[in-house]
Amino acid sequence: MEGGASYARMPRVKIRELKDDYVKFELRDTDASIANSLRRVMIAEVPTVAIDLVEIEVNSSVLNDEFIAHRLGLIPLTSDRAMAMRFSRDCDACDGDGQCEFCSVEFHLRVKCMTDETLDVTSKDLYSSDHTVVPVDFPDPAGMEGSENRGIIIVKLRRGQELRLRAIARKGIGKDHAKWSPAATVTFMYEPEIHLNEDLMESLTLEEKKEWVESSPTRVFDIDSVTQQVVVVDREAYTYDDEVIKKAEAMGKPGLVEINAKQDSFIFTVESTGAIKASQLLLNAIDVLRQKLDAVRLSDDNVDTTEQFGELGSHLGGS
Amino acid sequence: MNAPDRYERFVVPEGTKKVSYERDTKIMNAASFTVEREDHTIGNILRMQLHRDPNVLFAGYKLPHPLKYKIIVRIHTTSQSSPMQAYNQAINDLDRELDHLKSAFEAEMLKFSRDY
């Protein structure tokens, strides 16, 4: 554009753990503003699909209609299609009443308890009109077999009670209502840099070393059983609590350890609700953030005439 | 029952501009940009990116009120540049960074699934 120098950075990424609903990665060569914007976008601005409108035909359960509607809204639905869907408020094909395929998905639920045993109505009883948008299926964690997977409980029915309803799911974002948030938790921490002053450390007795190592609330340091030297076992366990620094000072050994937060390195953990994969959540967040940036560009009709004449124009044209 | 609609927090009302700016009348190369329906997510990355531009003498943003869904970004540059130029460049640079980040993450995902 202007052809001038670019001040863009080239961040590096390293994935540590990658599961469907969890990703842990290192983000380097950028700053906290980017890390925090990504976190904020993941939580509040990546779209998903959630039940938004509920029409209850019959409800003789113990929960009232709005209680059930609220619970339905909170069920995560698979939302891989959400990025391509339209918000019903700017859907041209319908009046936003959610009757079209571009902006909504219809669900039906009809359950009646006919036995003396309590009947659980779960997310598995919801029938979707679209096989790509269905309640999230939680696979049993390994070892938890036996109890069959019954989905998310909506309400329990006794003999004779019935629940019949129609629900419409729409695209939305977490800023509107938390039910649309695809993120269970998103956190990042500064990567710590820990330097032990080994000379000073050697002036401590083994007892003192043990006492100092114990002073950390998390297990960051340990004593090598062979060399009896203090070693850093898990620097990321450090919670920036300053306890070891205070302890060193109390022991009369200030400067025993030096801990810095690296300002350009972050360790991210992203947990998804299951609506979209955790890795896709990050990619969608980047796309959403870029769209947001694109929207705040100065458009041509924003650039007033004074701009073309520079400062002089602004003085001539200014009132 | 007089609560404002929830979408008012992120939908720009009709007839309002997303971005508008006003030059400072007393200082050369200074301007305030009002960005409607944005918050710290955009404000903070813009500010930090503007700080990387050596022609920018001052860059800051504020969220004037928690119930006014807009931010104000103030930029003051040297005569080598202008607030509008710096603003545009910051957005372009951020866009490039995010583009790079996306491909870096995708490449890393491919590498990760192959290695493990």
Side-chain angles (χ1 to χ4, degrees), chain A residues 5 30 37 175-176 296-297, chain B residues 6 9 41 87 89 92 97:
Chain A
T30 188
S37 289
K175 224 181 197 180
D176 192 342
V296 301
R297 279 204 158 91
Chain B
R6 284 195 312 245
R9 289 208 279 166
T41 306
Y87 181 89
Q89 167 136 29
N92 289 336
E97 173 170 350

Side-chain angles (χ1 to χ4, degrees), chain A residues 158-178:
Chain A
R158 66 170 290 177
R159 183 191 267 282
Q161 291 179 341
E162 189 181 6
L163 183 61
R164 219 158 65 207
L165 57 87
R166 190 174 81 100
I168 288 164
R170 288 171 172 166
K171 175 180 172 172
I173 59 171
K175 224 181 197 180
D176 192 342
H177 190 290

Side-chain angles (χ1 to χ4, degrees), chain A residues 3-268:
Chain A
S6 167
Y7 308 109
R9 283 165 299 210
M10 296 294 149
R12 285 180 293 139
V13 181
K14 187 169 180 292
I15 297 177
R16 290 220 189 133
E17 253 183 285
L18 185 62
K19 284 186 252 163
D20 275 359
D21 63 347
Y22 179 83
V23 59
K24 185 169 192 158
F25 64 96
E26 296 162 9
L27 177 66
R28 293 176 201 281
D29 296 346
T30 188
D31 68 11
S33 69
I34 294 284
N36 195 40
S37 289
L38 281 175
R39 184 190 64 85
R40 288 174 63 98
V41 169
M42 280 192 256
I43 292 169
E45 299 191 59
V46 172
T48 64
V49 181
I51 290 175
D52 195 30
L53 247 172
V54 180
E55 234 169 65
I56 292 182
E57 286 168 43
V58 179
N59 173 21
S60 52
S61 77
V62 293
L63 300 186
N64 59 47
D65 294 0
E66 34 278 83
F67 202 130
I68 289 172
H70 180 240
R71 289 182 67 75
L72 288 168
L74 295 176
I75 296 169
L77 306 174
T78 52
S79 307
D80 300 300
R81 243 185 69 210
M83 286 294 275
M85 277 172 79
R86 294 183 193 158
F87 287 106
S88 60
R89 64 171 174 273
D90 37 47
C91 180
D92 312 320
C94 61
D95 297 333
D97 268 4
Q99 289 296 334
C100 84
E101 52 180 329
F102 304 110
C103 69
S104 62
V105 178
E106 200 175 300
F107 286 84
H108 284 276
L109 184 142
R110 320 174 142 256
V111 195
K112 187 169 186 180
C113 179
M114 306 298 282
T115 62
D116 274 334
E117 213 178 324
T118 309
L119 180 70
D120 292 350
V121 181
T122 72
S123 56
K124 296 230 159 146
D125 295 309
L126 274 171
Y127 288 97
S128 170
S129 62
D130 180 342
H131 66 95
T132 61
V133 180
V134 290
V136 168
D137 198 9
F138 292 97
D140 270 327
M144 271 283 285
E145 52 190 297
S147 60
E148 58 178 310
N149 187 12
R150 281 292 293 142
I152 301 162
I153 295 183
I154 298 161
V155 65
K156 292 182 178 185
L157 302 180
R158 66 170 290 177
R159 183 191 267 282
Q161 291 179 341
E162 189 181 6
L163 183 61
R164 219 158 65 207
L165 57 87
R166 190 174 81 100
I168 288 164
R170 288 171 172 166
K171 175 180 172 172
I173 59 171
K175 224 181 197 180
D176 192 342
H177 190 290
K179 69 183 175 188
W180 276 298
S181 178
T185 47
V186 184
T187 64
F188 69 85
M189 73 179 283
Y190 289 105
E191 186 179 314
E193 251 182 341
I194 302 178
H195 297 291
L196 288 168
N197 185 330
E198 281 170 24
D199 293 337
L200 208 55
M201 193 59 84
E202 279 320 297
S203 67
L204 297 180
T205 64
L206 184 58
E207 279 305 304
E208 285 175 314
K209 282 181 188 170
K210 273 187 185 152
E211 200 186 321
W212 183 77
V213 165
E214 294 297 314
S215 73
S216 176
T218 49
R219 203 169 155 275
V220 181
F221 306 97
D222 205 354
I223 295 172
D224 191 310
S225 53
V226 183
T227 61
Q228 299 197 339
Q229 276 185 322
V230 175
V231 286
V232 178
V233 283
D234 183 6
R235 62 195 166 110
E236 277 158 37
Y238 186 62
T239 55
Y240 294 98
D241 47 58
D242 278 2
E243 288 297 329
V244 285
I245 294 164
K246 280 184 213 151
K247 181 70 183 175
E249 276 163 18
M251 290 166 84
K253 307 274 180 189
L256 186 62
V257 67
E258 199 183 308
I259 305 175
N260 300 313
K262 285 175 79 176
Q263 295 297 310
D264 62 349
S265 285
F266 309 93
I267 299 150
F268 259 89

